[in-house]
Amino acid sequence: LKNTGILPLATSGSLAVIGEFAVKPRYQGSGSSLIQPNRLDNAWDAINALAGEHMQLSYAPGYVADREEPLEQRIAEAVSVAGKADIAVVFAGLPDISESEGFDRAHIDLPESHTRLIEAVRAANPRTIVVLSNGAPVTMPWLDGVEAVLETYLGGQAWGSATADLLFGKANPCGKLAESFPRRLEDVPASVNFPGGTNSVAYAESLYVGYRFYDKAGTELLFPFGHGLSYTSFEYRDLRLSGPDEQHRVRVSLTVTNTGAVAGKEIVQIYIRDRESSAYRPEKELKGFAKISLEPGQQREVVIDLDRRAFSFWDSGSRSWVLEAGDFDILAGASASDIRLDGSIRLENGDDVSDWAAGLRDAVPGYFEPTIRGFADLSSSGDFARLMNRPLPPKDIPPGQPFDRLSTIGDIRGTFVGGLIYWAAGRSIRKFAGKNADAKTIEMMRAMITEMPMKSMAMMGGGMSRSRIDGILDMVNGKFFRGLAAIFRGDGD
């Protein structure tokens, strides 16, 4: 993601390897995605194997891999090791407990233990590299103070040797981000409406997800969609547009040259921009890409074909893809924010839009100039409801509304009986998970239980029939004795 020239590493001098992920890698997700690898590499062993005999290596754990809280003693040890080395490599990211199925992250920050460690190490050694292992974007308040950042995501069982190969230049990192990295959670368009209320959540951002929103709103990002650095560089030139033909097909071609000293791969991205549309559209949309491999000095023509669909938008009024005649920009770039070449075409003989599409600018004006704050307003002021063409359900369950089989255990926990059920479910979780279960597993199971609809309890067995579920619902709805009778009776499914 970032490299000021410190990478790849030389096999001489002294190198401090810091972070328990270097020896206990976070290489896969949690929950149902867990697999048992037949072999597992770690970065510390792989770095030792690649380091030359003239390279002095040292290691400090920095934190405990399965917890988020910082340990001052470990940070102090890491600072001491880093201060004596020519270069420090900090292995950081998100531990298992930070992200898993069954519950959502409450923020997009690294654990405090990892952030504190990076800041302390970079203060002790300005030549600091950060290697990240995480399943999703994270904030980087320390970014300006480190020399390089290598994003490895969750790299699988060979992560350790692959990471060492990238650090020492045996392989060239040529991947590109499939998502944008925001500077803070508040910049994410869904943040003002998620997680919603007890009854519903409004996906008011509509098609403004990821770069489609950030482009339109002009948001400053850590790293844009499609971004990725390598140990070489690429030049784009000679954009050529052929067409459109009678089927509104356009051929895009350009020449890419490897202008660096090592072989590498580049991902050329083609975006289109509709200069004027009846419907609201993103500033630009990715419509094609190609990955090419080039030796130093080699050049190659890249050809990407765009069909009619690439220029169309979905017209909910006619329930079809519609191509509206007009001018379109064709943009070739190395990322959503790094556009190298551009051209334009005009498409004639387009489709007629429906009355629904033609009236969008008056019906939902907020979607033509979107803002973060605006999405919260749109979901409450009526634009989102008009877009959905139906009344929106209330965000929270109205006070006094009876609980039903679709109500969750979390919904009813505010009542006396519901609180007892939630307490009993918590005890059952610990018993089911076993005394050796880690905090991540307990938290995941607790979230699943809290969000479980009452009707699902009948599927879990244990004598919990539908009639007994209805009895519990009677009790939490204030019909205590009728519900108690149904529970004791226990007949029916």
Side-chain angles (χ1 to χ4, degrees):
L1 298 181
K2 177 184 179 181
N3 185 12
T4 60
I6 198 171
L7 288 176
L9 297 175
T11 54
S12 60
S14 57
L15 177 68
V17 177
I18 296 169
E20 203 164 90
F21 279 178
V23 296
K24 297 180 179 179
R26 171 87 198 286
Y27 63 96
Q28 66 172 328
S30 301
S32 60
S33 65
L34 285 174
I35 61 170
Q36 185 66 38
N38 60 353
R39 170 186 155 196
L40 180 61
D41 296 349
N42 73 64
W44 172 244
D45 290 342
I47 288 172
N48 272 274
L50 289 181
E53 60 181 8
H54 301 296
M55 189 171 211
Q56 180 182 350
L57 296 177
S58 55
Y59 167 75
Y63 53 79
V64 177
D66 60 356
R67 59 182 290 174
E68 298 187 355
E69 300 78 16
L71 296 175
E72 297 301 331
Q73 182 178 353
R74 291 207 168 188
I75 292 176
E77 179 187 1
V79 166
S80 175
V81 169
K84 300 173 184 175
D86 296 328
I87 298 174
V89 181
V90 179
F91 288 81
L94 296 175
D96 284 342
I97 194 173
S98 293
E99 51 182 1
S100 176
E101 66 176 305
F103 61 89
D104 297 309
R105 295 163 65 195
H107 56 76
I108 58 172
D109 302 327
L110 289 177
E112 184 184 357
S113 56
H114 294 230
T115 297
R116 288 270 306 281
L117 176 67
I118 294 170
E119 292 175 342
V121 169
R122 73 172 183 175
N125 189 331
R127 305 190 75 198
T128 293
I129 299 166
V130 177
V131 178
L132 291 174
S133 297
N134 44 291
V138 294
T139 60
M140 304 180 197
W142 37 261
L143 179 63
D144 292 340
V146 300
E147 294 288 296
V149 178
L150 177 62
E151 172 62 81
T152 67
Y153 283 109
L154 304 181
Q157 66 184 51
W159 168 87
S161 55
T163 299
D165 286 348
L166 293 172
L167 289 174
F168 284 94
K170 290 192 66 177
N172 193 355
C174 298
K176 298 291 186 93
L177 291 178
E179 56 194 336
S180 305
F181 272 52
R183 288 188 174 274
R184 53 180 192 154
L185 178 60
E186 291 78 10
D187 292 335
V188 178
S191 62
V192 291
N193 287 312
F194 191 83
T198 56
N199 191 57
S200 71
V201 55
Y203 287 76
E205 65 272 22
S206 183
L207 54 75
Y208 292 120
V209 176
Y211 76 90
R212 298 172 182 84
F213 169 74
Y214 299 128
D215 276 356
K216 195 79 170 181
T219 306
E220 185 180 0
L221 297 167
L222 273 180
F223 302 105
F225 172 85
H227 170 77
L229 302 179
S230 74
Y231 295 143
T232 190
S233 56
F234 300 93
E235 177 188 71
Y236 291 41
R237 60 183 174 84
D238 299 336
L239 179 68
R240 301 172 294 280
L241 305 177
S242 301
D245 63 14
E246 293 181 355
Q247 284 75 45
H248 297 99
R249 293 176 299 194
V250 176
R251 170 159 289 186
V252 182
S253 58
L254 65 148
T255 300
V256 178
T257 304
N258 183 344
T259 56
V262 297
K265 297 177 182 178
E266 174 67 336
I267 302 173
V268 178
Q269 301 156 47
I270 302 298
Y271 297 84
I272 68 102
R273 174 189 294 129
D274 189 351
R275 292 188 183 176
E276 185 175 357
S277 174
S278 296
Y280 61 91
R281 300 188 72 167
E283 181 70 13
K284 61 179 179 288
E285 301 170 74
L286 179 70
K287 294 299 181 179
F289 62 92
K291 188 171 188 176
I292 57 172
S293 180
L294 296 172
E295 295 295 321
Q298 184 182 8
Q299 67 179 32
R300 179 176 297 178
E301 182 184 42
V302 177
V303 177
I304 297 175
D305 291 321
L306 303 177
D307 60 14
R308 175 189 176 91
R309 176 72 172 271
F311 303 97
S312 304
F313 65 84
W314 178 257
D315 185 338
S316 291
S318 63
R319 299 187 65 81
S320 63
W321 290 94
V322 168
L323 188 152
E324 197 171 18
D327 296 317
F328 291 81
D329 294 325
I330 310 295
L331 313 171
S335 79
S337 297
D338 184 7
I339 301 301
R340 306 286 182 87
L341 302 171
D342 65 89
S344 62
I345 59 168
R346 181 167 181 82
L347 299 181
E348 306 284 1
N349 303 317
D351 304 318
D352 294 329
V353 301
S354 69
D355 293 340
W356 176 87
L360 276 177
R361 192 172 293 274
D362 293 328
V364 291
Y367 281 98
F368 285 84
E369 297 294 336
T371 64
I372 287 285
R373 189 63 252 164
F375 288 131
D377 298 334
L378 293 175
S379 63
S380 59
S381 66
D383 275 26
F384 185 51
R386 285 190 291 272
L387 183 64
M388 296 292 289
N389 199 28
R390 58 179 172 82
L392 300 180
K395 178 179 177 181
D396 294 299
I397 297 173
Q401 177 174 310
F403 298 106
D404 57 29
R405 288 180 177 180
L406 293 178
S407 300
T408 67
I409 294 178
D411 292 337
I412 70 170
R413 64 182 292 190
T415 68
F416 176 75
V417 174
L420 291 176
I421 292 173
Y422 181 79
W423 174 80
R427 288 179 59 87
S428 298
I429 287 171
R430 292 199 169 275
K431 181 177 180 181
F432 178 79
K435 62 181 180 179
N436 295 322
D438 56 26
K440 170 203 65 177
T441 302
I442 297 295
E443 179 64 23
M444 181 178 67
M445 295 180 68
R446 185 180 298 279
M448 293 172 65
I449 288 292
T450 301
E451 298 171 9
M452 179 187 295
M454 293 295 294
K455 68 175 185 177
S456 299
M457 291 180 64
M459 304 175 188
M460 300 178 65
M464 191 58 72
S465 64
R466 287 192 178 93
S467 61
R468 283 184 169 145
I469 297 296
D470 289 339
I472 292 173
L473 290 169
D474 278 339
M475 295 176 73
V476 298
N477 284 324
K479 301 173 183 176
F480 184 85
F481 292 106
R482 189 175 85 173
L484 192 63
I487 290 173
F488 279 114
R489 189 168 59 247
D491 55 347
D493 291 329

